Amino acid sequence: MIIVLKPGCTDAQLTHICEKLEEMGFRHEVSRGIKRTLVGVIGEEDQLRNAPLKAIPGVEEVMSVLKPFKLASREFHEEPSVIDLGHGVKVGGGYLMMIAGPCAIEGEELLHEIGTKVKAAGANVLRGGAFKPRTSPYSFQGMGEEGLQILRRVGDELQMPVVTEVMDPRQVELVNEYTDIFQIGARNMQNFNLLNEVGQTNRPVLLKRGMSATIQDLLMSAEYILSNGNMKVILCERGIRSFDSSTRNLLDLAAVPNLQGLSHLPVVVDPSHATGRPDLIPPMALASVAAGADGVHIEVHSCPEKATSDGAQALLPEQYAEVAQQMAALAKLLNKTIPAAGSAS
Ligand code: PEP
Ligand code: MN
């Protein structure tokens, strides 16, 4: 349910409404739009239908959201959400996040070298996996906590927010100590315990679309995080499984305007995992910006043949620099801003 507040509803009335909802056993989330203030109410459908919400002072209207995702919907939040990522970087509502870095953290010197180069090229978020979801249990599984420490140090030195994957609810506390943004990987998009756990933190979450997930599945997963109180969810299209093996996955670019029409959450595209091919990543990165993406996520490695994971799809730093420059030109044409990492928040 969504409660629409009367114009001029006072802060005291809003506090009273929230207290009443808590008394009735409902969770709630306030959305202050330019035109009106809404309160999203979450609880059992039957109980919600029968609750006397309209009788609370300050309430103008009570609407039921027909879509199964409520807090993720445009009905709840009309304007696009803008999420602060730290180090002066924001995403959504005209701000683009440019995520770049190696698939896995392999060592401090290497991460520092790659980070320095991608930042100089215009990237504003540094990525690197410390816990890697590998298809084979015999493949490199990541550096674990040592990797997280390296990522944190390099991010601080370069003044860039960092993003890294968390694979298990038991890792959330540890990863939370080091990262600015949690990444939920495609394979874990429906790990509901993990979604609940990151939903209880206050950190932005980059939620990747599962390889067989529909648009609605992705939004329902976002809803798990939002309904726990964490409204900082960034959706990521990273390709879905298809019958065609000429690319690693099939990039669903229409997902960008499709999701943006349904939801206020920012939508980022990852052409690296979507195509798996360095020759296809630059054109698909540009197409992502042209399609209105709120960010682009690209894997970069200075020596792809030595990479411990996903080397075959990594761009060289100079290839990244070229496409980043083109993305910046396109962003400017579209009146979008790419915040520089390291400027004051
Ligand atoms: C990654 O970002 O390195 C990764 C494993 O991505 P995905 O979950 O999209 O496969
Ligand atoms: Mn990867």
Side-chain angles (χ1 to χ4, degrees), residues 301-312:
H301 201 289
S302 42
C303 191
E305 69 268 28
K306 285 200 189 145
T308 50
S309 151
D310 283 349

Side-chain angles (χ1 to χ4, degrees), residues 1-2 40 45 62-71 73-76:
M1 292 281 182
I2 288 178
E45 309 259 328
V62 180
M63 307 184 311
S64 67
V65 181
L66 296 176
K67 296 194 180 77
F69 47 91
K70 319 280 181 197
L71 299 175
S73 72
R74 281 268 178 185
E75 283 90 331
F76 173 58

Side-chain angles (χ1 to χ4, degrees), residues 209-236:
R209 180 179 181 182
M211 48 194 97
S212 305
T214 64
I215 293 291
Q216 182 161 311
D217 291 338
L218 174 58
L219 290 169
M220 291 311 291
S221 287
E223 194 75 15
Y224 267 87
I225 302 170
L226 302 172
S227 65
N228 273 282
N230 183 350
M231 297 303 287
K232 299 177 187 168
V233 179
I234 304 152
L235 306 170
C236 181

Side-chain angles (χ1 to χ4, degrees), residues 292-342:
D294 299 292
V296 179
H297 171 288
I298 295 181
E299 286 187 347
V300 179
H301 201 289
S302 42
C303 191
E305 69 268 28
K306 285 200 189 145
T308 50
S309 151
D310 283 349
Q313 71 189 30
L315 290 192
L316 290 164
E318 48 273 29
Q319 291 172 315
Y320 181 74
E322 192 179 345
V323 69
Q325 197 181 17
Q326 292 166 341
M327 285 192 284
L330 195 48
K332 199 167 169 207
L333 191 72
L334 298 170
N335 269 327
K336 303 273 180 89
T337 306
I338 302 179

Side-chain angles (χ1 to χ4, degrees), residues 103 127 132-133 165 183 185-187 208 238 273 297 299:
C103 182
R127 67 147 285 143
K132 294 305 304 173
E165 179 159 356
Q183 176 171 316
R187 290 156 194 79
K208 295 187 110 183
R238 48 76 74 202
H273 294 88
H297 171 288
E299 286 187 347

